[in-house]
Structures are given as C-alpha cells and as structure tokens.
Amino acid sequence: QDSYGQITKVILLTITPVLFSTTIYNIGNLLDNPIYQNIMSSIFHVSETTNSAAWGVYSGYYRLLTTMPIAIASSLSTAIVPSLVRSYIAKDKLVVKRKVMLAQKFSMLIAFPCGMGLSVLGGPINSLLFGEKVEYTSIIMIFSIFTVVAFSLSTISNAILQGIDKLNVPIRNSAIGIHIIFLLILLLVFRLGIYAVVIGDFTFAMTVAVLNSFSIKKYLGYKQEVHYTLVCPFVCSAIMGIFCLVFYKLGMMILPSNFIWTVLSILIAVVIYAVSLVFTKTITEDELYSIPKGNQIVR
C-alpha cells in the first residue's frame, strides 16, 4: 500500500550502502595492476612481457580459480541471512547469535577444503583446465587457502552486518582495509613481485574480516566462535590435503596422466573431507538441517 515514491526511496537507501561497500571492496584490486606494472617497469626495469605474463597468471588463473569457491561459500551462507533478519527484528538474541555462527561456519566448511585443494593441487588443476604449465603457477596457487578463507569470511561478515541493519559499517571497514600502502611496502622494500599482489590481496580481506568481527561483537554481543568454525574445518582440510597430494604423487609415479589422477584426487578429497567432518564432530545433524537441501545431505 506504499506509494512508488516511498518504495523507491526505501530501495535506494538500502542498496546504496551495499553498492558502496562492494565498490570499495573491489577498488583495491582495480588499482593493483597499474601500481604493480609501473613499479616493476619503472623502478626495477622488468620487461613488459614478463610483467604481463606474471599478471596473467595471477588474474587469469589464480583469481579465477579462487573466486569460484568464494562465490559458492558466500551463496550458501547468505541463504541463512533472511532468517537472521527475521530473528533480529524479533529481538531474539540467542537465535541471532546461533544463526551468525552457522552462517560463518558453513562458509568456512566450504572455504577451507576448496582453498586447501587449490593450494596442494594448484599446478595439476591449472594444467587440467588450461592445458599449460606456466612458470611459478604452482607457487602462486599455494596462497589459495589464505585468499579463499579470508574473502569468504569477510564476505559473509559483510552480509551479517547488512542483515542487522548496520549497512554503513562494512563501508567503513572496507575503506580501512584498503591495502595500497602495504602493497607498496611489499613491492619496494621486500621486492616480492607478483607475490606482493597476492599477499596484499588476502591481507586486505583478512583485515576486513577482523574489523567486521569486532563490529558484530559490538552490535550483537557475539564473540567469534573459533574451534568449530575455524580450527576444525582447517584440521579436516589439512587431513584431506595430505591424503589428496600423496595419492596424486603416487598415481603419477605409476601412470603419468595428469587428467586421471587430478580428477580421482579431487573425488577422493571430497570423501575424506566429509568423513573427517563427521568423525571430528565438526558438523552436527541439526546444523545440516538448517541449510538448503539439508535433509538430502543428512540422508
């Protein structure tokens, strides 16, 4: 029964902070390329071909592959946010805190194994998908675990703050987390080249995640749950990663086929991770019921 003018005003006032937050969130990566290219060419006199090749590995392989699990983790977690909003409006603090914990936990349950898988099998996965063995691709992919976890955690914490009507807080935290100065230090002082961009990337996301965590504690009184949200998924992912890497290496010794052993390693990794989650009691049956298709997953 509201007028179109009122509805438009509400929509604009709601989406504008979200758009600003997303813009600031991505502006750092937009500036990384010219900063990296200019410093490497003008100060260190690295050829344009070498710079472009390194940036191509970062943006074309690393960013592409790490963005996919971040999107999956964020989508699953934000499915919980609408119910979080209802509980927040009803002022049911205990339920709100539980839903915040679940949103972050499910995000990490996806982020850790995906990041670990890309870290230990980064080279084989790139060869499988792109058919190329580019220099230092495998080394860059080792950082995947940090990038995927940091961006997944910062993204879901942004969604939580927006869900409890603190739309401007993620904007402020993202602005504080801009990593340009840190990137300059890594490039000029430590001379890390393209690795400086990679490290600066996940450092920014982790800074935002930490600031968001403090904000969530401030407005909800929720203290970050560490054991089942961060430690257990990491341990299960580490177990998975070790088995996955050993299986791939042994397989390649028996029959040198990257396609066969990469695919089999990923399938085995899924099973090992799922079993690890159950045996370590990282996830419970009740928690699974709270996510989309939870009944089928439990069955």
Side-chain angles (χ1 to χ4, degrees):
Q1 298 180 7
D2 295 331
S3 67
Y4 284 115
Q6 289 173 312
I7 294 171
T8 303
K9 181 181 178 182
V10 169
I11 291 174
L12 288 174
L13 289 174
T14 303
I15 66 171
T16 300
V18 178
L19 290 175
F20 270 120
S21 177
T22 305
T23 302
I24 295 174
Y25 207 64
N26 290 289
I27 199 169
N29 187 251
L30 186 67
L31 296 173
D32 285 348
N33 189 13
I35 291 173
Y36 167 76
Q37 298 284 0
N38 288 329
I39 288 178
M40 295 304 291
S41 59
S42 61
I43 296 179
F44 297 117
H45 306 293
V46 179
S47 68
E48 184 178 344
T49 303
T50 304
N51 287 335
S52 298
W55 187 264
V57 171
Y58 166 72
S59 61
Y61 299 159
Y62 180 79
R63 287 283 295 182
L64 177 65
L65 291 175
T66 54
T67 299
M68 293 169 65
I70 294 170
I72 296 170
S74 300
S75 298
L76 180 62
S77 301
T78 50
I80 302 172
V81 172
S83 64
L84 168 67
V85 175
R86 288 195 295 272
S87 301
Y88 180 74
I89 296 299
K91 297 183 179 180
D92 193 337
K93 292 185 177 181
L94 289 177
V95 175
V96 169
K97 290 179 181 180
R98 173 170 170 76
K99 288 179 178 178
V100 168
M101 186 273 291
L102 286 177
Q104 293 182 335
K105 182 176 180 178
F106 281 119
S107 180
M108 293 300 97
L109 286 175
I110 294 177
F112 271 108
C114 288
M116 185 67 73
L118 289 173
S119 291
V120 299
L121 289 179
I125 289 172
N126 273 281
S127 297
L128 175 66
L129 295 177
F130 306 113
E132 297 180 45
K133 287 188 177 180
V134 183
E135 186 183 1
Y136 55 74
T137 300
S138 297
I139 301 176
I140 288 182
M141 293 305 297
I142 292 174
F143 294 99
S144 297
I145 179 71
F146 305 109
T147 298
V148 173
V149 169
F151 273 96
S152 296
L153 195 55
S154 60
T155 302
I156 188 59
S157 57
N158 275 348
I160 290 169
L161 287 169
Q162 291 161 356
I164 62 172
D165 206 26
K166 304 301 177 184
L167 298 172
N168 293 324
V169 176
I171 300 176
R172 182 191 66 207
N173 292 343
S174 297
I176 294 172
I178 291 292
H179 61 287
I180 302 301
I181 296 176
F182 186 59
L183 175 62
L184 290 172
I185 294 172
L186 292 175
L187 283 170
L188 295 171
V189 179
F190 294 96
R191 303 187 178 189
L192 293 178
I194 194 63
Y195 302 113
V197 180
V198 177
I199 295 171
D201 203 28
F202 67 73
T203 302
F204 159 69
M206 188 53 67
T207 302
V208 175
V210 171
L211 291 173
N212 284 350
S213 179
F214 283 121
S215 298
I216 291 172
K217 181 180 180 181
K218 176 182 177 182
Y219 295 114
L220 290 180
Y222 173 79
K223 185 178 180 181
Q224 177 66 56
E225 199 284 321
V226 175
H227 183 72
Y228 289 106
T229 303
L230 299 174
V231 176
C232 287
F234 171 74
V235 171
C236 294
S237 299
I239 295 171
M240 176 206 77
I242 293 170
F243 274 96
C244 185
L245 184 60
V246 170
F247 180 82
Y248 176 83
K249 294 291 186 182
L250 290 175
M252 288 295 286
M253 291 171 61
I254 298 170
L255 176 65
S257 174
N258 182 66
F259 174 82
I260 293 174
W261 298 114
T262 301
V263 173
L264 287 177
S265 297
I266 293 172
L267 293 175
I268 287 174
V270 172
V271 175
I272 291 173
Y273 182 66
V275 171
S276 298
L277 289 180
V278 175
F279 272 93
T280 58
K281 297 182 179 179
T282 301
I283 192 167
T284 64
E285 193 171 322
D286 289 339
E287 289 173 341
L288 284 174
Y289 282 124
S290 68
I291 66 172
K293 304 294 183 181
N295 292 337
Q296 294 180 11
I297 296 174
V298 169
R299 188 161 62 244

